[in-house]
Structure formats: structure tokens, C-alpha cells
Amino acid sequence: MHVHKVNQLHPRPASQGGLPRRRTFVAVYLTTQKWTQVEIGLVLSVGGIVALIGQMPGGAIVDAVHSARKAAGLALVAIAISALAYAAWPIFPVVMSAAMLHAAASCILGPAIAAISLGLVGPLAVGERLGRNARYASLGNGVAAAVMGACGYFLSSRSVFLVTFIMAIPTLIALSRIREHDIISEHALKAKFNKVPTSRSLSLRDLIRQRPLLIFASSVLLLQLANAAMLPLMAGVVTTRSAQWAPVLIAACIIVPQAIVALTSPSVGRFAQQWGRRPLLLLGFAALAARGVLFASISDPYFLVAVQIFDGITAAVFAVMIPLIVVDIAFGSGHFNFAQGIVGTATGVGASLSTVLAGYAADRFGSSIAFLGLAAVAAMGLIMIWTIMPETRRHVLAAPKDDVRSAP
């Protein structure tokens, strides 16, 4: 069984950095092509809107199709085509279409990879599987950013998109190595793991009314509302205080949490199964709140890099917890991937509002007050998890050994 191949496929969610990094390369490239800032902003905004509104439809598509593997493959092909279009025809209609295609494909690729992961290992081992996915996603994002940055520096900004197109080829090869019969459908898993408590088949209306799902989606919205603006706001502060070293310091602030995610994500998956989900959710929100308070109180820009350790803790926790809790709540309902789309929509809304509100607060009251405001939002999320979020871990006393797959 080619379970390990899923390591090479797991995409990092847009909310955790994949989409902002792509947007940065797009903005740089289009600037070199003499585009105006209004045109660049329009393209990026439309892509962001498609990525936001496409979360739930993308999940519903993956729920409806017979093969999540084929859905992932088609999404990867679409992303490769969009990258090639950027490089070949940097004119407004083509670039706008490519941005929309990339965003729509990403809405399908994320749920498809989660569905493949669940189908390969089953609900009992999916926590550790998701932790390993997050590790390789973090490593892949770091390597991809380094390769793209080097190509953009030594060759041209256009080469970044050619590299993206080329990288899709080994990804598709890795996907092809996963055999279709190794991926068990959600319906078959529900029957196979009949000793695991599962959600009964639900209509979409009933799923949307599920209290744990609504609470968790609301907490994720607060997470992104507190988190998305924190690093950009800190980057502005660093640039003001130490313009010469700002690029190096900001790069270090990005690398530190990536390294922590790569090191700790599999452990997060194991601890989630041993301790439950709520303790780790509380840890993630507590680290985010502490990060905001420290950013507000530390004046030395070099110490800000050390504070990013807390960012790594939060990122490692939620990279695993978001898909894992959706599995807990929606597995067996028939709408697992649609439920992922609900949480993905909450992620996008929170991230979009974060930068606007934090920017306004920083301009009106100063960066320290803005950081404290973001920390307060994180504290609200912590209180929500502490007071009203139920534990979603599955309690299973016994399950047939031949029914339980483990993530290698």
C-alpha cells in the first residue's frame, strides 16, 4: 500500500501561507510586466474571492465524485496550466482567468487530499497521518519558496511560474503511485469501522446545524482574525525600527515557525489521540494570544524572531486539528468534504477581515494597541474552546486489527 506517497501531495492551506506566498510572486512578476497596482490588486482580489466562495462547493464536488484521487489529479493539472498561462501570456484576460482557475482548483485539491488521507488509513489513524502531512507540507513550502526565490533572482520572475509547472509533474507521478483500491470510500469506511462512533448520514441542512461544527468554525474564524494580520503588522514594525536588516529578520520570522511545524506536527497528531482535541486547541490559542502580547511589548526587533516560536506552535496545532476535528464531526455523514469547506470559508473570512481591522487599529491607535487587540481576539477563541467546544475524539475500546490501518 502506497500510504507514504500522500506525504508528497498534501497542500498547505491558503490560510497557513501557501496563497500569500503565491500572491507575492504574482505581484512581483506582474510589476515587472508593467502592470499598474490597480490591475494587480484586482487580479489578486478576484482570486481571493473565488478561493473564499469556492470552499464549500469544492468540498461538495469531492463528496460527489467517485474518485478523490482523480479529482486531486485534475486540480493539479489545472494549477499547472494556470502557472503556464501566467508565464506565457501575461495579458489581463489570461492572467485573470489563470488566477480564477488556480483558486478554484485549490478549493478542490485541499479536500481531495484530506479525503485520500482518510481513505488510506481510516478514522483511527488519521490524526498521525494528518500530522505527517503537515510536516511534509511545511518542508515542501520551504523548499518551493527557496527554489522559486532563487530562480526569480538568478533567472527571471517569469521562471517562477515555469518552476511551478515543472513541480506539478513529480506531484502527479506521486499521485499515480497511490493505487485506487487502497483508498476506501467514506461509505465503505463507515461500514468497516463499525465500532467507531460515526455521524449518521445527514442532509446538508442538518450538517450545517451541527453544534460542534458551528462552534469549531467560529473558533477558526477567531483564530484567523487574530493570526492573519500579525506577521504583516510585525513586518511593518521591523522595517520601521531596522530597515537594513528587515528582509533578513522577516525571512527568519517565516522560517522559524515552518521549522517548528515540520518538527512537531506528527507529535501533535499522536497527542491529539492520547489527550483529546481540546487541550491542543487551548494550547494553540494560548500561544497565539501570548505572541500578540509579546509583539506589543518587545521593542528589540531581534527578539521578535524568538517570539515566532509561538507562531510555530499555533501553526502545528491547527494544521492537524482543523482536518482532524472535521473528521471527528462529519465522518460517516456523507458530507465530510463539504464540512471541510464550511471551516475553510470561516478561515477565509477571518483572514480577510484581520488585515483590514488590524491595519485600521494600527493607523488609528498604534501598533502596540493593534497587537493587543489581536491577542484579545485570540483570548476570545481560547474562552470559546474552554467553555462551549465539546471534545470530539472518538473513544473506541476495541477494533479488529485487520480493520485498523496505521500511518507509517
Side-chain angles (χ1 to χ4, degrees):
M1 181 170 60
H2 300 288
V3 175
H4 65 286
K5 291 297 178 183
V6 77
N7 288 332
Q8 303 174 43
L9 302 175
H10 185 71
R12 195 171 188 205
S15 60
Q16 298 172 32
L19 185 57
R21 187 190 70 227
R22 182 186 67 83
R23 285 182 170 183
T24 301
F25 284 121
V26 169
V28 170
Y29 171 60
L30 296 180
T31 300
T32 65
Q33 299 298 312
K34 311 301 182 184
W35 281 47
T36 67
Q37 291 303 310
V38 172
E39 291 172 327
I40 295 172
L42 181 59
V43 168
L44 296 181
S45 297
V46 170
I49 292 171
V50 172
L52 177 60
I53 65 177
Q55 293 291 324
M56 286 187 279
I61 288 172
V62 177
D63 282 326
V65 299
H66 177 71
S67 171
R69 176 172 164 267
K70 291 179 181 177
L74 290 174
L76 284 167
V77 170
I79 290 172
I81 291 173
S82 70
L84 191 60
Y86 275 116
W89 301 286
I91 58 176
F92 188 84
V94 173
V95 169
M96 179 64 77
S97 299
M100 295 172 66
L101 178 63
H102 185 286
S106 297
C107 293
I108 294 174
L109 182 58
I113 296 301
I116 291 171
S117 299
L118 176 62
L120 286 173
V121 302
L124 301 183
V126 74
E128 187 173 352
R129 174 74 271 150
L130 293 171
R132 290 178 179 270
N133 286 2
R135 164 179 284 178
Y136 283 90
S138 182
L139 292 172
N141 272 278
V143 172
V147 172
M148 291 177 183
C151 289
Y153 180 80
F154 290 108
L155 299 175
S156 69
S157 56
R158 186 191 302 268
S159 67
V160 169
F161 300 98
L162 296 176
V163 168
T164 301
F165 177 81
I166 294 170
M167 282 183 173
I169 297 173
T171 308
L172 288 167
I173 293 173
L175 184 64
S176 70
R177 295 290 303 279
I178 301 175
R179 295 175 302 210
E180 192 69 59
H181 66 266
D182 285 332
I183 306 171
I184 303 177
S185 68
E186 183 183 357
H187 177 75
L189 279 172
K190 183 178 180 180
K192 194 175 183 66
F193 289 83
N194 53 11
K195 295 191 177 185
V196 181
T198 63
S199 304
R200 61 183 176 85
S201 296
L202 301 171
S203 68
L204 288 180
R205 177 181 294 182
D206 290 336
L207 177 69
I208 294 172
R209 292 177 177 176
Q210 290 288 301
R211 183 171 177 269
L213 181 61
L214 294 177
I215 294 172
F216 184 60
S218 299
S219 70
V220 170
L221 190 151
L222 291 175
L223 168 79
Q224 292 301 326
L225 188 60
N227 181 64
M230 208 170 280
L231 184 58
L233 190 60
M234 187 275 293
V237 172
V238 168
T239 302
T240 301
R241 295 174 181 173
S242 181
Q244 180 179 359
W245 290 97
V248 175
L249 292 173
I250 294 169
C253 287
I254 295 172
I255 292 171
V256 167
Q258 291 271 5
I260 292 175
V261 171
L263 289 171
T264 63
S265 292
S267 298
V268 169
R270 288 193 295 271
F271 291 149
Q273 195 58 37
Q274 295 170 9
W275 302 344
R277 312 328 188 201
R278 291 180 72 249
L280 290 165
L281 292 175
L282 293 171
L283 174 63
F285 272 110
L288 180 57
R291 179 172 164 233
V293 172
L294 290 171
F295 276 161
S297 57
I298 291 176
S299 58
D300 189 331
Y302 298 97
F303 282 111
L304 295 176
V305 177
V307 176
Q308 281 296 89
I309 292 173
F310 291 97
D311 187 22
I313 294 172
T314 302
V317 166
F318 283 94
V320 178
M321 288 298 103
I322 288 178
L324 180 58
I325 291 177
V326 174
V327 170
D328 292 341
I329 296 171
F331 172 68
S333 68
H335 304 293
F336 163 62
N337 295 294
F338 184 84
Q340 289 192 81
I342 293 174
V343 177
T345 300
T347 297
V349 171
S352 299
L353 293 175
S354 178
T355 51
V356 174
L357 296 178
Y360 173 80
D363 289 340
R364 185 74 181 269
F365 306 107
S367 60
S368 293
I369 298 299
F371 282 127
L372 290 176
L374 295 174
V377 174
M380 290 172 57
L382 188 149
I383 293 170
M384 177 179 288
I385 297 297
W386 181 269
T387 56
I388 62 175
M389 178 68 190
E391 175 58 58
T392 61
R393 178 181 56 170
R394 302 177 184 280
H395 297 281
V396 182
L397 297 178
K401 289 184 178 180
D402 60 346
D403 281 352
V404 180
R405 300 179 182 184
S406 59

